[in-house]
Amino acid sequence: MGSKMRGPIIRSPSLDLVVPSPLCRLVEMPLTASAAPAPELSQDELKRIAAYRAVDLVESGMVIGLGTGSTAAHALDRLGDLIRRGILRDIVGIPTSKKTEVHARAVGIPLSDLDNHPVVDLSIDGADEVDRHLNLVKGRGGSLLREKMIEGASKRFVVIVDETKMVNLLGGSGLAVPVEVIPFCWSFTMGKLRRLFDGVPGFDLRLRTTSGDEMTPSVTDNLNYVIDLFFEKGITGNLDEISDAILKIVGVVEHGMFLGMTTSVIVARKDGSVTVINRMGDRSTVTG
């Protein structure tokens, strides 16, 4: 399996949001009619714009997958506000992490789980990276397993990001592509991951540790560890084959590549406009 990933690097053309992949349809949605250039918004303001746009898709009676992270937190606040004001009724939220569960309860979102609601109408979550085929890297916050379970059970999965999260190739930001592993013999599992990507230029990996303590492993909500993979030039090759190869390693629980799962991506841009990219066709046929 490793030999499939040792070939020459194939560089994608520069990402241009106004020329999406043929697999996607893009809709430009300016928020202001003024022709004068608007001042650039902060990253947090952009996150809030994207989150509020996604919550506009929620209807009364829906089961909603509640994402984890700073962008998803804005969606939780908005959803809780609409519930308190009686605009949305009979909402059931399925949280993707313990942190999200605490936040959702605090803003008044009724909660349940996949055991009681195995089909989710709509999931809203952020992403660490989005490529031109709407594949994602998620889980730098450590919630990748629960996120993938809930978002994989969703009829619609809407991703909310600011434009800095758009990349040519997954891993192209140079930041982590997480892999959740069981703690037992984690170093052995990390060695298997290292050998899988042997020969890939610029590849590295390391165990994630708690902030400020390089000796203590970071622990997920599932009491597992996370091994972070780094690709200097992004991940090249067939993403489905790479995904399968990682998951076949005994000791690996899940990885942070979300392939072919996204229904739409809502991208907030620095000028305050919103770009909506919708997947076209059968999600199962989309590959990186």
Side-chain angles (χ1 to χ4, degrees), residues 168-179:
N168 293 331
L169 298 171
L170 294 190
S173 68
L175 300 176
V177 178
V179 178

Side-chain angles (χ1 to χ4, degrees), residues 52-115:
Y52 280 33
R53 177 66 182 85
V55 173
D56 286 345
L57 301 173
V58 178
E59 299 176 1
S60 293
M62 279 188 169
V63 178
I64 305 296
L66 306 176
T68 296
S70 56
T71 307
H74 288 297
L76 295 178
D77 289 338
R78 178 63 170 168
L79 191 56
D81 178 60
L82 294 175
I83 292 171
R84 288 193 301 273
R85 291 160 56 191
I87 297 174
L88 290 175
R89 295 181 174 85
D90 301 319
I91 295 295
V92 176
I94 312 293
T96 57
S97 67
K98 292 180 179 179
K99 181 178 181 180
T100 294
E101 180 179 353
V102 171
H103 188 159
R105 291 191 189 281
V107 297
I109 302 173
L111 299 180
S112 187
D113 54 34
L114 288 178
D115 289 336

Side-chain angles (χ1 to χ4, degrees), residues 18 27 29-30 39 42 49 54 57 63 119 123 147 153 192 197 204 216 229 232 276:
V18 301
V27 181
M29 303 185 65
S42 70
I49 289 171
L57 301 173
V63 178
V119 178
S123 281
E147 287 174 337
K192 292 278 190 178
F197 293 98
D204 197 10
T216 304
L229 312 184
E232 185 178 328
V276 181

Side-chain angles (χ1 to χ4, degrees), residues 54 57 122-126 156-160 262-266:
L57 301 173
L122 169 68
S123 281
I124 300 172
D125 204 355
R156 300 174 66 190
F157 174 30
V158 176
V159 174
I160 46 179
T262 313
T263 306
S264 303
V265 175
I266 298 175

Side-chain angles (χ1 to χ4, degrees), residues 73-219:
H74 288 297
L76 295 178
D77 289 338
R78 178 63 170 168
L79 191 56
D81 178 60
L82 294 175
I83 292 171
R84 288 193 301 273
R85 291 160 56 191
I87 297 174
L88 290 175
R89 295 181 174 85
D90 301 319
I91 295 295
V92 176
I94 312 293
T96 57
S97 67
K98 292 180 179 179
K99 181 178 181 180
T100 294
E101 180 179 353
V102 171
H103 188 159
R105 291 191 189 281
V107 297
I109 302 173
L111 299 180
S112 187
D113 54 34
L114 288 178
D115 289 336
N116 292 291
H117 295 85
V119 178
V120 178
D121 294 304
L122 169 68
S123 281
I124 300 172
D125 204 355
D128 300 307
E129 294 180 357
V130 182
D131 75 5
R132 61 172 52 247
H133 302 296
L134 308 192
N135 295 315
L136 315 173
V137 169
K138 290 176 51 57
R140 289 179 187 153
S143 303
L144 59 155
L145 175 58
R146 298 190 186 194
E147 287 174 337
K148 190 171 283 190
M149 289 178 68
I150 292 166
E151 288 150 11
S154 301
K155 297 177 183 177
R156 300 174 66 190
F157 174 30
V158 176
V159 174
I160 46 179
V161 295
D162 65 86
E163 62 183 340
T164 65
K165 302 301 177 66
M166 306 302 291
V167 297
N168 293 331
L169 298 171
L170 294 190
S173 68
L175 300 176
V177 178
V179 178
E180 186 165 344
V181 303
I182 65 169
F184 176 74
C185 294
W186 64 265
S187 183
F188 172 82
T189 305
M190 188 165 74
K192 292 278 190 178
L193 287 166
R194 186 184 298 278
R195 286 190 288 278
L196 179 64
F197 293 98
D198 182 37
V200 175
F203 173 74
D204 197 10
L205 76 173
R206 59 176 173 264
L207 180 71
R208 184 179 298 182
T209 56
T210 59
S211 178
D213 184 354
E214 296 182 357
M215 301 301 294
T216 304
S218 178
V219 178

